[in-house]
Amino acid sequence: MLRFRVHEVALTADVEKAFLNIEIDPEHRNFVRFLWVKDLNKENLEVMELRFARVVFGVNSSPFILNATIRHHLKTCLPLDSELARELLNSLYVDDYVSGKGDVGSAFTLSKGVMLCLKSGGFNTRKWNSNSESVLRSLEKDEAFSDDFEKSNRPKVAEEDESFSKSVFKHSSEKDQRVLGMLCGNPTQDELIYDLNKTLGEVDAQPVTKRLILSTATRFFDPLGLIAPVILPLKMMFQKLCKDGKDWDELVDAEL
């Protein structure tokens, strides 16, 4: 997030169906066996044993396998463009690409290089976004990106997969623009947004206890520590309660 924030022109994208692009070696497929009912309409259900042929989304080792596969592919790119390969190694979070450049021209060149490099390994990048309208217009006009922008303008349908960060950070709305779990609102305004209303609303409806104070303090996703002045007093309050053994009413009247 820090590396991403230092760029004048931001770039984000994700790798389409990243896990499904990786084939599991036949001798390893027994580790991902599962049971399946052949026909639910029959009286006597016949249970089959099947095996996954592709890397499964959600298995603990899947992000590592994806990372190792992309790194292996990038080694083939090193002799051709070592700078681009290093950029990708530093800017990929599982299946999310997060980076940028100092000017519009360099950002467009970088995005095209990233797209072509990953495409040569069978990984298609999509959902390109930027805080620069000029970059977005250039990407939209470029033939290499035309399919991605054409898809983004089609009516929304249920996605066959979701990005790894989306599954981890549980996005609240499809309309939200997020970077690695951080809500950005309108990217062109270059803002990071913390929506505390839902969390605080749930807290207000419960009696205040030590457990509630601690759980509330850990519910805010703040990797950059920008709202530490809000979260830290809650942690201090919990520590004070545990140390002194005071109840809530005594703590309210006391000076922290």
Side-chain angles (χ1 to χ4, degrees):
M1 284 296 292
L2 287 173
R3 286 197 300 266
F4 165 69
R5 292 289 294 165
V6 300
H7 298 296
E8 183 75 21
V9 180
L11 284 172
T12 64
D14 76 53
V15 182
E16 183 178 14
K17 299 178 177 62
F19 298 104
L20 297 178
N21 283 322
I22 305 171
E23 185 179 8
I24 299 175
D25 193 289
E27 68 175 276
H28 295 151
R29 292 177 187 175
N30 282 336
F31 295 109
V32 283
R33 289 177 294 177
F34 62 97
L35 299 177
W36 192 258
V37 176
K38 190 171 184 179
D39 189 351
L40 285 172
N41 297 318
K42 285 186 177 180
E43 252 184 64
N44 298 318
L45 298 179
E46 183 183 348
V47 178
M48 302 184 296
E49 184 184 276
L50 300 177
R51 306 188 305 170
F52 284 104
R54 298 279 172 168
V55 171
V56 184
F57 183 90
V59 174
N60 288 342
S61 60
S62 294
F64 164 76
I65 294 171
L66 174 62
N67 183 270
T69 303
I70 291 177
R71 283 175 176 268
H72 175 73
H73 168 60
L74 291 178
K75 284 181 181 178
T76 65
C77 297
L78 279 171
L80 303 174
D81 194 336
S82 58
E83 186 178 344
L84 178 61
R86 283 195 296 270
E87 154 67 21
L88 275 165
L89 286 172
N90 289 329
S91 305
L92 275 173
Y93 173 76
V94 191
D95 56 349
D96 289 295
Y97 174 72
V98 179
S99 187
K101 280 291 185 181
D103 59 84
V104 171
S106 299
F108 175 72
T109 302
L110 173 63
S111 59
K112 193 161 186 178
V114 167
M115 188 272 295
L116 293 174
C117 179
L118 290 175
K119 193 172 185 178
S120 66
F123 295 100
N124 181 50
T125 50
R126 61 177 181 176
K127 298 181 182 177
W128 284 92
N129 208 346
S130 174
N131 62 338
S132 168
E133 291 285 358
S134 299
V135 170
L136 290 175
R137 283 196 296 270
S138 298
L139 293 176
E140 192 172 1
K141 290 176 183 177
D142 193 275
E143 289 184 5
F145 296 90
S146 58
D147 286 345
D148 183 60
F149 280 89
E150 184 185 344
K151 288 176 184 175
S152 66
N153 291 326
R154 292 174 187 168
K156 292 285 183 182
V157 294
E159 291 280 357
E160 292 180 27
D161 68 341
E162 58 182 352
S163 72
F164 184 78
S165 68
K166 182 177 178 180
S167 70
V168 171
F169 301 123
K170 303 298 181 189
H171 296 192
S172 59
S173 169
E174 288 295 332
K175 296 179 181 178
D176 292 343
Q177 295 291 334
R178 292 180 180 259
V179 178
L180 300 183
M182 289 294 299
L183 181 61
C184 297
N186 185 347
T188 58
Q189 293 178 359
D190 196 24
E191 295 175 341
L192 292 178
I193 299 171
Y194 292 86
D195 186 1
L196 310 181
N197 291 326
K198 183 179 179 182
T199 299
L200 296 178
E202 292 174 357
V203 170
D204 286 342
Q206 302 177 55
V208 178
T209 62
K210 294 178 186 179
R211 183 187 295 272
L212 180 66
I213 293 171
L214 185 61
S215 66
T216 302
T218 58
R219 288 175 67 179
F220 299 105
F221 181 66
D222 181 32
L224 298 180
L226 298 179
I227 57 172
V230 176
I231 300 171
L232 192 58
L234 292 173
K235 295 180 179 179
M236 291 171 62
M237 204 177 290
F238 176 79
Q239 186 181 30
K240 183 97 173 157
L241 279 168
C242 293
K243 183 180 178 181
D244 299 345
K246 293 181 178 180
D247 61 27
W248 175 250
D249 292 329
E250 288 176 321
L251 186 62
V252 170
D253 297 329
E255 242 185 80
L256 290 176

